[in-house]
Amino acid sequence: MSVTYKGVHQLKIGEIDLQILNDGHWRLDGGAMFGVVPRVLWEKRLPPDDRNRVPMALRCLLIRVGGKTIVVDTGVGDKFGPKEAEIYAVERAEGLIGQLAGYGVAPEAVDVVVNTHLHFDHAGGNTTRRLGTLAPTFPNAEYWIQRLEWEDATHPNERTRTSYLAENLDPISQTGQLRLFDGSTEIVPGVTWRLAPGHTRSHTCVVIESGEQSAIFTVDVCPFVAQLERIAWVPAVDVEPLVSMETKRRLVADILAHDRLVIFDHDPNVVAARLVGTPDKWALKPEILTIVGAASTGDLRADSRSIVGG
Ligand SMILES: [Zn+2]
């Protein structure tokens, strides 16, 4: 059953208010994002710039139900200096905080922040600098994090330490706002935090369902549309790529079985799409597209246009 669109980004999933937000845009090496897939194949889908970087969104969710205000992921945040901003071509307009304000949500009003995992492009807005000191961006929120992800993030190795930054983590544990969980967990009725490992050992997705309607934030199981079309298209940055493939296979079957609206975190063109077909052969139909060249808020509903997967 289709989702009710209250506005371009404002969705209603049964009783649940869902807004798709975007902290901004950035770029990452195309090889890092497409793994073993040759550039001649992926560059047709996502043309890189002259430094081989592909464009990426930084989507986050605002979920409001039963008097609770929940933010899922916090984008790259505002702490990068000029050097990192240049390396990653970070472009932020109003950012996550400005977009929340647009929906009447002050940082103080957020009850729960859920981090799907702790890479800096998902947890960068967890903290901010106030009067020169690092502090949690959401002063009254609990920060919900998987215990294993916290362990991996706070004990990074040579390969993972550029993704896990202590400045996004330490302040929330120091203030006592950190809550650690093991595995799939109900956040509030209708909103489930689901383990989807591979990108990291305890990477998660978020499923939102109410009445007959359902959506899923698939996060880095498939950062781009092309990666939901093909099981083998797994980012090089995934720590367990074979596990990523099995997670994706299970997810495709689950999405088809429940007709979930799929919300993409990094695809610069497609915000949300549906799958049609079977777990052996499926196609992807975009439902919400971004306007090319528009500001970070400039998303609009798509005409239905099929992309064949398999
Ligand atoms: Zn990411």
Side-chain angles (χ1 to χ4, degrees):
M1 180 170 289
S2 72
V3 166
T4 311
Y5 291 89
K6 291 166 67 185
V8 168
H9 288 241
Q10 275 184 289
L11 280 59
K12 187 96 175 156
I13 309 286
E15 298 298 307
I16 301 171
D17 281 313
L18 170 66
Q19 276 85 46
I20 304 171
L21 311 178
N22 188 5
D23 188 49
H25 295 275
W26 66 311
R27 287 176 176 270
L28 208 56
D29 183 78
M33 291 310 296
F34 286 101
V36 297
V37 180
R39 174 173 159 157
V40 289
L41 295 182
W42 62 253
E43 71 181 354
K44 292 183 203 142
R45 302 297 305 273
L46 215 51
D49 66 8
D50 57 3
R51 291 163 69 176
N52 204 45
R53 300 175 303 181
V54 291
M56 296 169 68
L58 287 162
R59 294 196 187 92
C60 314
L61 304 182
L62 167 62
I63 300 168
R64 285 178 289 188
V65 61
K68 288 277 182 203
T69 299
I70 301 153
V71 169
V72 178
D73 280 348
T74 60
V76 78
D78 60 5
K79 299 188 300 298
F80 273 165
K83 184 178 163 209
E84 292 90 352
E86 201 269 334
I87 290 171
Y88 298 115
V90 175
E91 283 176 44
R92 297 173 77 246
E94 75 275 35
L96 173 63
I97 297 305
Q99 295 206 343
L100 286 170
Y103 289 107
V105 177
E108 294 75 17
V110 174
D111 300 302
V112 177
V113 174
V114 174
N115 285 134
T116 60
H117 60 301
L118 292 171
H119 287 167
F120 67 75
D121 55 315
H122 297 262
N126 280 5
T127 62
T128 189
R129 273 197 189 83
R130 280 199 200 99
L131 305 170
T133 318
L134 280 171
T137 307
F138 304 95
N140 302 316
E142 293 183 351
Y143 286 73
W144 288 29
I145 291 165
Q146 291 288 322
R147 189 182 313 275
L148 181 59
E149 181 71 13
W150 180 264
E151 284 303 311
D152 285 345
T154 52
H155 301 86
N157 59 36
E158 293 82 351
R159 178 183 158 115
T160 62
R161 69 177 161 223
T162 52
S163 305
Y164 290 130
L165 307 181
E167 63 182 14
N168 301 328
L169 309 175
D170 293 347
I172 58 176
S173 109
Q174 285 156 5
T175 57
Q177 289 171 260
L178 175 65
R179 300 287 181 276
L180 295 176
F181 294 83
D182 295 294
S184 299
T185 304
E186 183 180 73
I187 300 166
V188 288
V191 183
T192 311
W193 192 22
R194 188 179 288 187
L195 217 51
H199 182 64
T200 71
R201 293 198 296 163
S202 53
H203 172 274
T204 55
C205 298
V206 174
V207 174
I208 302 124
E209 51 195 343
S210 174
E212 297 286 299
Q213 301 182 334
S214 167
I216 181 167
F217 190 36
T218 45
V219 197
D220 284 339
V221 175
C222 43
F224 304 126
V225 164
Q227 289 156 329
L228 191 56
E229 294 165 30
R230 290 172 181 81
I231 296 291
W233 283 37
V234 170
V237 291
D238 285 19
V239 296
E240 296 182 325
L242 300 183
V243 175
S244 298
M245 287 171 55
E246 293 318 308
T247 290
K248 201 192 297 188
R249 213 185 298 281
R250 271 201 313 277
L251 219 56
V252 165
D254 170 81
I255 291 163
L256 284 166
H258 299 276
D259 189 23
R260 303 197 199 282
L261 180 72
V262 180
I263 301 166
F264 293 93
D265 59 344
H266 293 312
D267 197 286
N269 305 309
V270 179
V271 179
R274 280 188 195 276
L275 295 189
V276 290
T278 70
D280 297 320
K281 185 161 182 62
W282 62 94
L284 202 143
K285 296 177 81 154
E287 264 199 35
I288 309 176
L289 294 180
T290 56
I291 302 169
V292 175
S296 54
T297 49
D299 294 343
L300 90 171
R301 280 199 68 183
D303 307 322
S304 274
R305 164 171 77 82
S306 286
I307 301 173
V308 177

PDB file of all heavy atoms in Angstrom, residues 275-297:
ATOM      1  N   LEU A 275      10.656  -1.665  -4.590  1.00  0.00           N
ATOM      2  CA  LEU A 275      11.078  -2.820  -5.372  1.00  0.00           C
ATOM      3  C   LEU A 275       9.831  -3.546  -5.871  1.00  0.00           C
ATOM      4  O   LEU A 275       8.840  -3.638  -5.153  1.00  0.00           O
ATOM      5  CB  LEU A 275      11.901  -3.790  -4.524  1.00  0.00           C
ATOM      6  CG  LEU A 275      13.248  -3.311  -3.986  1.00  0.00           C
ATOM      7  CD1 LEU A 275      13.993  -4.478  -3.360  1.00  0.00           C
ATOM      8  CD2 LEU A 275      14.083  -2.672  -5.076  1.00  0.00           C
ATOM      9  N   VAL A 276       9.913  -4.046  -7.088  1.00  0.00           N
ATOM     10  CA  VAL A 276       8.855  -4.923  -7.604  1.00  0.00           C
ATOM     11  C   VAL A 276       9.530  -6.173  -8.159  1.00  0.00           C
ATOM     12  O   VAL A 276      10.669  -6.106  -8.625  1.00  0.00           O
ATOM     13  CB  VAL A 276       8.009  -4.233  -8.710  1.00  0.00           C
ATOM     14  CG1 VAL A 276       7.143  -3.135  -8.124  1.00  0.00           C
ATOM     15  CG2 VAL A 276       8.902  -3.673  -9.822  1.00  0.00           C
ATOM     16  N   GLY A 277       8.828  -7.312  -8.077  1.00  0.00           N
ATOM     17  CA  GLY A 277       9.380  -8.556  -8.623  1.00  0.00           C
ATOM     18  C   GLY A 277       9.475  -9.619  -7.557  1.00  0.00           C
ATOM     19  O   GLY A 277       8.666  -9.660  -6.630  1.00  0.00           O
ATOM     20  N   THR A 278      10.477 -10.472  -7.690  1.00  0.00           N
ATOM     21  CA  THR A 278      10.682 -11.595  -6.770  1.00  0.00           C
ATOM     22  C   THR A 278      12.109 -11.523  -6.220  1.00  0.00           C
ATOM     23  O   THR A 278      12.950 -10.804  -6.777  1.00  0.00           O
ATOM     24  CB  THR A 278      10.515 -12.942  -7.503  1.00  0.00           C
ATOM     25  OG1 THR A 278      11.635 -13.088  -8.401  1.00  0.00           O
ATOM     26  CG2 THR A 278       9.218 -13.000  -8.292  1.00  0.00           C
ATOM     27  N   PRO A 279      12.410 -12.297  -5.147  1.00  0.00           N
ATOM     28  CA  PRO A 279      13.786 -12.281  -4.613  1.00  0.00           C
ATOM     29  C   PRO A 279      14.822 -12.784  -5.615  1.00  0.00           C
ATOM     30  O   PRO A 279      16.019 -12.642  -5.380  1.00  0.00           O
ATOM     31  CB  PRO A 279      13.689 -13.215  -3.389  1.00  0.00           C
ATOM     32  CG  PRO A 279      12.265 -13.154  -2.982  1.00  0.00           C
ATOM     33  CD  PRO A 279      11.483 -13.022  -4.259  1.00  0.00           C
ATOM     34  N   ASP A 280      14.400 -13.394  -6.714  1.00  0.00           N
ATOM     35  CA  ASP A 280      15.353 -13.834  -7.742  1.00  0.00           C
ATOM     36  C   ASP A 280      15.543 -12.794  -8.842  1.00  0.00           C
ATOM     37  O   ASP A 280      16.590 -12.745  -9.485  1.00  0.00           O
ATOM     38  CB  ASP A 280      14.883 -15.152  -8.384  1.00  0.00           C
ATOM     39  CG  ASP A 280      14.838 -16.264  -7.371  1.00  0.00           C
ATOM     40  OD1 ASP A 280      15.765 -16.332  -6.532  1.00  0.00           O
ATOM     41  OD2 ASP A 280      13.872 -17.042  -7.385  1.00  0.00           O
ATOM     42  N   LYS A 281      14.522 -11.989  -9.068  1.00  0.00           N
ATOM     43  CA  LYS A 281      14.627 -10.964 -10.113  1.00  0.00           C
ATOM     44  C   LYS A 281      13.709  -9.809  -9.739  1.00  0.00           C
ATOM     45  O   LYS A 281      12.490  -9.987  -9.670  1.00  0.00           O
ATOM     46  CB  LYS A 281      14.213 -11.560 -11.470  1.00  0.00           C
ATOM     47  CG  LYS A 281      14.424 -10.582 -12.616  1.00  0.00           C
ATOM     48  CD  LYS A 281      14.472 -11.292 -13.961  1.00  0.00           C
ATOM     49  CE  LYS A 281      14.724 -10.318 -15.102  1.00  0.00           C
ATOM     50  NZ  LYS A 281      16.019  -9.627 -14.974  1.00  0.00           N
ATOM     51  N   TRP A 282      14.308  -8.681  -9.479  1.00  0.00           N
ATOM     52  CA  TRP A 282      13.514  -7.552  -9.033  1.00  0.00           C
ATOM     53  C   TRP A 282      13.894  -6.306  -9.825  1.00  0.00           C
ATOM     54  O   TRP A 282      14.948  -6.244 -10.458  1.00  0.00           O
ATOM     55  CB  TRP A 282      13.701  -7.303  -7.531  1.00  0.00           C
ATOM     56  CG  TRP A 282      15.105  -6.955  -7.142  1.00  0.00           C
ATOM     57  CD1 TRP A 282      15.637  -5.696  -7.008  1.00  0.00           C
ATOM     58  CD2 TRP A 282      16.162  -7.871  -6.830  1.00  0.00           C
ATOM     59  NE1 TRP A 282      16.957  -5.780  -6.629  1.00  0.00           N
ATOM     60  CE2 TRP A 282      17.315  -7.100  -6.522  1.00  0.00           C
ATOM     61  CE3 TRP A 282      16.249  -9.260  -6.776  1.00  0.00           C
ATOM     62  CZ2 TRP A 282      18.528  -7.679  -6.166  1.00  0.00           C
ATOM     63  CZ3 TRP A 282      17.463  -9.833  -6.431  1.00  0.00           C
ATOM     64  CH2 TRP A 282      18.583  -9.048  -6.126  1.00  0.00           C
ATOM     65  N   ALA A 283      12.982  -5.345  -9.780  1.00  0.00           N
ATOM     66  CA  ALA A 283      13.241  -4.054 -10.422  1.00  0.00           C
ATOM     67  C   ALA A 283      13.007  -2.959  -9.397  1.00  0.00           C
ATOM     68  O   ALA A 283      12.290  -3.152  -8.411  1.00  0.00           O
ATOM     69  CB  ALA A 283      12.308  -3.872 -11.611  1.00  0.00           C
ATOM     70  N   LEU A 284      13.627  -1.823  -9.641  1.00  0.00           N
ATOM     71  CA  LEU A 284      13.564  -0.724  -8.695  1.00  0.00           C
ATOM     72  C   LEU A 284      12.813   0.443  -9.328  1.00  0.00           C
ATOM     73  O   LEU A 284      13.133   0.845 -10.445  1.00  0.00           O
ATOM     74  CB  LEU A 284      15.016  -0.344  -8.399  1.00  0.00           C
ATOM     75  CG  LEU A 284      15.300   0.377  -7.120  1.00  0.00           C
ATOM     76  CD1 LEU A 284      16.612  -0.122  -6.571  1.00  0.00           C
ATOM     77  CD2 LEU A 284      15.372   1.844  -7.414  1.00  0.00           C
ATOM     78  N   LYS A 285      11.812   0.948  -8.622  1.00  0.00           N
ATOM     79  CA  LYS A 285      11.039   2.079  -9.150  1.00  0.00           C
ATOM     80  C   LYS A 285      11.195   3.279  -8.220  1.00  0.00           C
ATOM     81  O   LYS A 285      10.641   3.284  -7.121  1.00  0.00           O
ATOM     82  CB  LYS A 285       9.551   1.707  -9.240  1.00  0.00           C
ATOM     83  CG  LYS A 285       9.285   0.584 -10.237  1.00  0.00           C
ATOM     84  CD  LYS A 285       7.826   0.204 -10.247  1.00  0.00           C
ATOM     85  CE  LYS A 285       7.052   1.186 -11.113  1.00  0.00           C
ATOM     86  NZ  LYS A 285       5.821   0.606 -11.671  1.00  0.00           N
ATOM     87  N   PRO A 286      11.948   4.295  -8.638  1.00  0.00           N
ATOM     88  CA  PRO A 286      12.120   5.474  -7.789  1.00  0.00           C
ATOM     89  C   PRO A 286      10.780   6.141  -7.479  1.00  0.00           C
ATOM     90  O   PRO A 286       9.913   6.213  -8.345  1.00  0.00           O
ATOM     91  CB  PRO A 286      12.997   6.397  -8.640  1.00  0.00           C
ATOM     92  CG  PRO A 286      13.726   5.484  -9.550  1.00  0.00           C
ATOM     93  CD  PRO A 286      12.755   4.381  -9.867  1.00  0.00           C
ATOM     94  N   GLU A 287      10.609   6.594  -6.228  1.00  0.00           N
ATOM     95  CA  GLU A 287       9.379   7.313  -5.851  1.00  0.00           C
ATOM     96  C   GLU A 287       9.642   8.758  -5.476  1.00  0.00           C
ATOM     97  O   GLU A 287       8.776   9.603  -5.646  1.00  0.00           O
ATOM     98  CB  GLU A 287       8.685   6.598  -4.678  1.00  0.00           C
ATOM     99  CG  GLU A 287       7.619   5.684  -5.181  1.00  0.00           C
ATOM    100  CD  GLU A 287       6.587   5.292  -4.147  1.00  0.00           C
ATOM    101  OE1 GLU A 287       6.226   6.086  -3.265  1.00  0.00           O
ATOM    102  OE2 GLU A 287       6.143   4.157  -4.248  1.00  0.00           O
ATOM    103  N   ILE A 288      10.806   9.037  -4.911  1.00  0.00           N
ATOM    104  CA  ILE A 288      11.149  10.434  -4.607  1.00  0.00           C
ATOM    105  C   ILE A 288      12.535  10.688  -5.194  1.00  0.00           C
ATOM    106  O   ILE A 288      13.483   9.962  -4.894  1.00  0.00           O
ATOM    107  CB  ILE A 288      11.174  10.710  -3.085  1.00  0.00           C
ATOM    108  CG1 ILE A 288       9.893  10.219  -2.404  1.00  0.00           C
ATOM    109  CG2 ILE A 288      11.357  12.203  -2.827  1.00  0.00           C
ATOM    110  CD1 ILE A 288       9.906  10.372  -0.880  1.00  0.00           C
ATOM    111  N   LEU A 289      12.651  11.701  -6.031  1.00  0.00           N
ATOM    112  CA  LEU A 289      13.933  12.055  -6.648  1.00  0.00           C
ATOM    113  C   LEU A 289      14.392  13.408  -6.128  1.00  0.00           C
ATOM    114  O   LEU A 289      13.585  14.212  -5.663  1.00  0.00           O
ATOM    115  CB  LEU A 289      13.787  12.165  -8.168  1.00  0.00           C
ATOM    116  CG  LEU A 289      13.462  10.907  -8.955  1.00  0.00           C
ATOM    117  CD1 LEU A 289      13.374  11.238 -10.442  1.00  0.00           C
ATOM    118  CD2 LEU A 289      14.503   9.832  -8.734  1.00  0.00           C
ATOM    119  N   THR A 290      15.704  13.681  -6.234  1.00  0.00           N
ATOM    120  CA  THR A 290      16.188  15.029  -5.937  1.00  0.00           C
ATOM    121  C   THR A 290      16.157  15.849  -7.224  1.00  0.00           C
ATOM    122  O   THR A 290      16.223  15.305  -8.315  1.00  0.00           O
ATOM    123  CB  THR A 290      17.633  15.010  -5.419  1.00  0.00           C
ATOM    124  OG1 THR A 290      18.447  14.357  -6.374  1.00  0.00           O
ATOM    125  CG2 THR A 290      17.739  14.274  -4.105  1.00  0.00           C
ATOM    126  N   ILE A 291      16.066  17.164  -7.067  1.00  0.00           N
ATOM    127  CA  ILE A 291      16.174  18.054  -8.219  1.00  0.00           C
ATOM    128  C   ILE A 291      17.656  18.333  -8.405  1.00  0.00           C
ATOM    129  O   ILE A 291      18.322  18.805  -7.486  1.00  0.00           O
ATOM    130  CB  ILE A 291      15.437  19.384  -7.966  1.00  0.00           C
ATOM    131  CG1 ILE A 291      13.972  19.104  -7.649  1.00  0.00           C
ATOM    132  CG2 ILE A 291      15.584  20.310  -9.158  1.00  0.00           C
ATOM    133  CD1 ILE A 291      13.236  20.323  -7.131  1.00  0.00           C
ATOM    134  N   VAL A 292      18.186  18.020  -9.568  1.00  0.00           N
ATOM    135  CA  VAL A 292      19.620  18.206  -9.808  1.00  0.00           C
ATOM    136  C   VAL A 292      19.976  19.682  -9.643  1.00  0.00           C
ATOM    137  O   VAL A 292      19.306  20.559 -10.175  1.00  0.00           O
ATOM    138  CB  VAL A 292      20.004  17.713 -11.221  1.00  0.00           C
ATOM    139  CG1 VAL A 292      21.462  18.010 -11.513  1.00  0.00           C
ATOM    140  CG2 VAL A 292      19.733  16.228 -11.332  1.00  0.00           C
ATOM    141  N   GLY A 293      21.025  19.931  -8.871  1.00  0.00           N
ATOM    142  CA  GLY A 293      21.485  21.307  -8.680  1.00  0.00           C
ATOM    143  C   GLY A 293      20.691  22.090  -7.650  1.00  0.00           C
ATOM    144  O   GLY A 293      20.994  23.237  -7.359  1.00  0.00           O
ATOM    145  N   ALA A 294      19.672  21.467  -7.060  1.00  0.00           N
ATOM    146  CA  ALA A 294      18.865  22.199  -6.073  1.00  0.00           C
ATOM    147  C   ALA A 294      19.555  22.187  -4.714  1.00  0.00           C
ATOM    148  O   ALA A 294      20.503  21.444  -4.487  1.00  0.00           O
ATOM    149  CB  ALA A 294      17.494  21.549  -5.954  1.00  0.00           C
ATOM    150  N   ALA A 295      19.053  23.010  -3.825  1.00  0.00           N
ATOM    151  CA  ALA A 295      19.586  23.034  -2.459  1.00  0.00           C
ATOM    152  C   ALA A 295      19.302  21.694  -1.803  1.00  0.00           C
ATOM    153  O   ALA A 295      18.570  20.871  -2.326  1.00  0.00           O
ATOM    154  CB  ALA A 295      18.930  24.158  -1.673  1.00  0.00           C
ATOM    155  N   SER A 296      19.887  21.480  -0.635  1.00  0.00           N
ATOM    156  CA  SER A 296      19.791  20.176   0.006  1.00  0.00           C
ATOM    157  C   SER A 296      18.350  19.771   0.307  1.00  0.00           C
ATOM    158  O   SER A 296      18.056  18.615   0.489  1.00  0.00           O
ATOM    159  CB  SER A 296      20.607  20.171   1.288  1.00  0.00           C
ATOM    160  OG  SER A 296      20.212  21.234   2.096  1.00  0.00           O
ATOM    161  N   THR A 297      17.454  20.721   0.360  1.00  0.00           N
ATOM    162  CA  THR A 297      16.056  20.397   0.648  1.00  0.00           C
ATOM    163  C   THR A 297      15.268  20.111  -0.621  1.00  0.00           C
ATOM    164  O   THR A 297      14.104  19.774  -0.554  1.00  0.00           O
ATOM    165  CB  THR A 297      15.378  21.578   1.355  1.00  0.00           C
ATOM    166  OG1 THR A 297      15.666  22.749   0.623  1.00  0.00           O
ATOM    167  CG2 THR A 297      15.844  21.714   2.766  1.00  0.00           C
TER     168      THR A 297
END
